[in-house]
Amino acid sequence: MRIILDTNILLSALMTKATPPDALYEAWKSSRFILLSSEQQIEELRRVTRRPGVQELIVAAEAGRMINDLRLLARMLGQLPHVDVSPDPLDNFLLAMAQAGDADLLVTGAHGIREADPAILPPQALPPRIAVLVPGVAFTADGRRLGQGGGRSE
């Protein structure tokens, strides 16, 4: 199975041990799935781990090890296709990775996720068999999240 872990999942794995993001990261390191990554993601991870507020929450050596592990062990994707469909333009590279790597699953984090508007991000814009996991507890019959808790209290 080919999986993309959103950068915020990787950051969460660095910040908190024995949590679902950490379990996903450890499962990848145990070869339970193929992790897809790209230079764009590594650059984002490097940039965010250097922010003052984030530096206080992580161990720098662990962040460096994660970046090295990604480069050496993940399936690194080369040139990504142009994708401009995400409600958050900074996430377009993740959708491009999903397309370029023929991903089976894109796992994203709990906060700041925008529900995809079908007019902006139609299902046909995603690779044909990809599943996108987003947080939520309750959903409508047509798959929309209930609540306004930003992924915290649905």
Side-chain angles (χ1 to χ4, degrees):
M1 179 172 275
R2 291 173 309 279
I3 297 178
I4 296 169
L5 298 180
D6 191 344
T7 310
N8 60 40
I9 296 292
L10 296 171
L11 286 166
S12 294
L14 284 172
M15 292 179 191
T16 55
K17 302 302 177 198
T19 59
D22 183 51
L24 282 168
Y25 181 65
E26 292 299 325
W28 165 64
K29 289 189 344 185
S30 298
S31 301
R32 295 189 48 208
F33 60 86
I34 296 167
L35 182 65
L36 302 175
S37 190
S38 67
E39 285 300 322
Q40 290 91 327
Q41 184 176 41
I42 288 175
E43 181 52 38
E44 180 180 54
L45 185 60
R46 178 179 288 128
R47 187 176 63 252
V48 174
T49 57
R50 291 178 177 167
R51 289 180 184 162
V54 175
Q55 285 181 330
E56 300 165 6
L57 301 173
I58 64 170
V59 176
E62 289 180 12
R65 189 174 313 114
M66 178 182 279
I67 289 169
N68 290 338
D69 285 348
L70 288 170
R71 278 219 169 89
L72 293 172
L73 304 172
R75 183 170 296 167
M76 295 298 290
L77 303 169
Q79 185 68 30
L80 298 179
H82 176 76
V83 174
D84 189 20
V85 295
S86 174
D88 181 351
L90 297 177
D91 286 339
N92 279 321
F93 82 92
L94 293 167
L95 298 174
M97 285 172 47
Q99 187 176 52
D102 196 24
D104 297 300
L105 191 62
L106 168 59
V107 182
T108 188
H111 305 297
I113 296 170
R114 297 180 187 178
E115 184 173 334
D117 178 346
I120 297 171
L121 181 58
Q124 61 270 26
L126 295 171
R129 7 175 279 284
I130 192 167
V132 179
L133 295 183
V134 295
V137 175
F139 299 88
T140 64
D142 64 351
R144 295 186 183 276
R145 294 186 302 172
L146 291 175
Q148 301 296 317
R152 296 181 195 103
S153 61
E154 274 109 322

